[in-house]
Amino acid sequence: MPEAFLTAENLHKSFNDHKAVNGISFTIYQGEIFGLLGPNGAGKTTTIRMLSTILVPDRGDATIGGHSVRHYADAVRRLIGVCPQELALYPDLSALDNLLFFGRMVGLNGSEAKAQAMANLEAMGLIDRARGKVDKFSGGMKRRINLAIALMGHPQLLFLDEPTVGIDPQSRNMIYETIEGLRDGGMTILYTTHYMEEADRLCSRVAIVDGGRIVALDTPYGLKSKIGPPEQVSLEDVFLKLTGRGLRD
Ligand SMILES: Nc1ncnc2c1ncn2[C@@H]1O[C@H](COP(=O)(O)OP(=O)(O)OP(=O)(O)O)[C@@H](O)[C@H]1O
Ligand SMILES: [Mg+2]
C-alpha cells in the first residue's frame, strides 16, 4: 500500500456567508500527482491556502507528513513548497536574485541557495536569463520562475495552483516535463487546474470540485469509465455529466 502523505478531513471555509469550501476530504499518497479539477470559484485555491497554512480552516483539519496544519503549521511549512496562482515574484530583481531571496527565506545558506537556484534555472530553460530583470520576462517565463521559486529548499510536497494559466505551449511543455521529472524523483504534488487535458496527462488521481465540494474522485481513467468508453470520453464530459455545466463556464 502506498503511504498517505497528506490527509484532508472535512475542510470548511466561508467568506462572509459564502461557503467557499464546504466539507472537503481527500488523501494524497507519497509520490503521486493528485489533481483538483474544477471551474472558477470551485474552491481550489481556498483549499490550497488552508493546506499550506495561509488560511486557518473554519472546521476540519489536514495532516501533512504527520503534522496537523491547524496545530503544527511551522512543521508543515518546512515540508511544503507553494507555487501560487497569482505570481509571487519581485519584478525589480533578477531571476537569480528572486531565487536566492526565496532560498534564504526557506533557510538555505548562501552556497546551497546559489546551487539550487542555478539548477532550477537550468531546469526551466532560463539559465541564460539568470541576471535578467523579471519584469522584462514574458508571461511564460514568469510562470517558470514562479515554479522555480517553489522548488527552493527541495520541498517534499509541492502545491501547484494553476501553474500553466495563460502561457505559450513551449513554457507549458517545459512545466509539464519538470513536474513529471519531480514526480519521478519522488516528490508528492497537489495540482489544481481547470484544464482537463492537464489533469488527464499529469494526475494519477483527480478530485472534481464544484461549489466547494468534491463531486467525484478517481483515476482519470476511472472517472471517464463511469460515463462511457474511456477512450471516447473526456474529463470535460465527466464534469458536464456530474454538474450539468461545462468546466469553463
Ligand atoms: N479572500 C476572499 N474573500 C472573499 N471571498 C473569497 C476570498 N477568497 C475566495 N473567495 C471566494 O470563494 C470562492 C472560491 O474561491 P477560490 O479562489 O478558492 O476558487 P478557485 O477554484 O481557486 O477558482 P479559480 O479557478 O478562479 O482560481 C469564490 O466564490 C471566491 O470569490
Ligand atoms: Mg484558484
Side-chain angles (χ1 to χ4, degrees), residues 18-239:
H18 178 67
K19 290 183 194 302
V21 173
N22 191 14
I24 279 189
S25 304
F26 60 90
T27 295
I28 307 181
Y29 296 107
Q30 186 117 35
E32 79 168 330
I33 304 180
F34 183 91
L36 289 179
L37 179 69
N40 292 129
K44 304 181 297 295
T45 297
T46 306
T47 300
I48 286 198
R49 289 198 172 130
M50 288 189 277
L51 296 172
S52 58
T53 77
I54 296 163
L55 284 177
V56 179
D58 294 339
R59 278 169 62 194
D61 197 359
T63 54
I64 294 180
H67 307 290
S68 151
V69 297
R70 189 183 276 287
H71 300 292
Y72 294 98
D74 285 348
V76 169
R77 285 183 199 129
R78 284 193 280 275
L79 300 177
I80 64 174
V82 184
C83 181
Q85 182 170 5
E86 304 297 337
L87 293 170
L89 309 162
Y90 288 99
D92 287 334
L93 294 184
S94 70
L96 178 60
D97 284 342
N98 265 280
L99 268 65
L100 291 176
F101 174 79
F102 285 101
R104 298 307 291 264
M105 292 279 284
V106 298
L108 301 179
N109 68 32
S111 61
E112 281 174 86
K114 180 88 188 280
Q116 288 192 24
M118 296 309 272
N120 290 347
L121 288 168
E122 176 78 48
M124 296 297 159
L126 290 171
I127 198 79
D128 295 345
R129 304 297 295 270
R131 292 182 198 280
K133 240 188 183 190
V134 163
D135 69 351
K136 300 280 183 288
F137 284 13
S138 71
M141 289 160 69
K142 287 180 185 157
R143 281 271 154 211
R144 283 185 265 157
I145 295 291
N146 207 42
L147 174 55
I149 285 171
L151 296 176
M152 294 300 290
H154 294 315
Q156 294 185 43
L157 172 67
L158 183 62
F159 293 105
L160 297 173
D161 196 355
E162 308 216 24
T164 61
V165 147
I167 64 174
D168 56 280
Q170 190 205 353
S171 290
R172 180 172 297 138
N173 278 330
M174 208 165 269
I175 288 178
Y176 288 165
E177 283 163 19
T178 301
I179 292 168
E180 286 165 340
L182 294 167
R183 176 209 46 209
D184 295 345
M187 197 177 278
T188 307
I189 297 171
L190 175 60
Y191 193 98
T192 85
T193 183
H194 52 255
Y195 299 130
M196 60 277 162
E197 312 86 4
E198 291 193 345
D200 215 350
R201 166 169 173 173
L202 294 171
C203 300
S204 53
R205 292 182 307 131
V206 174
I208 296 183
V209 188
D210 188 40
R213 290 177 177 276
I214 291 178
V215 295
L217 194 167
D218 203 341
T219 60
Y221 188 90
L223 288 170
K224 290 185 280 185
S225 304
K226 289 193 209 320
I227 65 158
E231 305 74 29
Q232 288 170 31
V233 300
S234 70
L235 290 178
E236 177 94 49
D237 300 327
V238 177
F239 186 83

Side-chain angles (χ1 to χ4, degrees), residues 9-21:
E9 285 175 74
N10 199 26
L11 292 174
H12 285 74
K13 189 76 194 180
S14 294
F15 297 107
N16 305 315
D17 284 341
H18 178 67
K19 290 183 194 302
V21 173

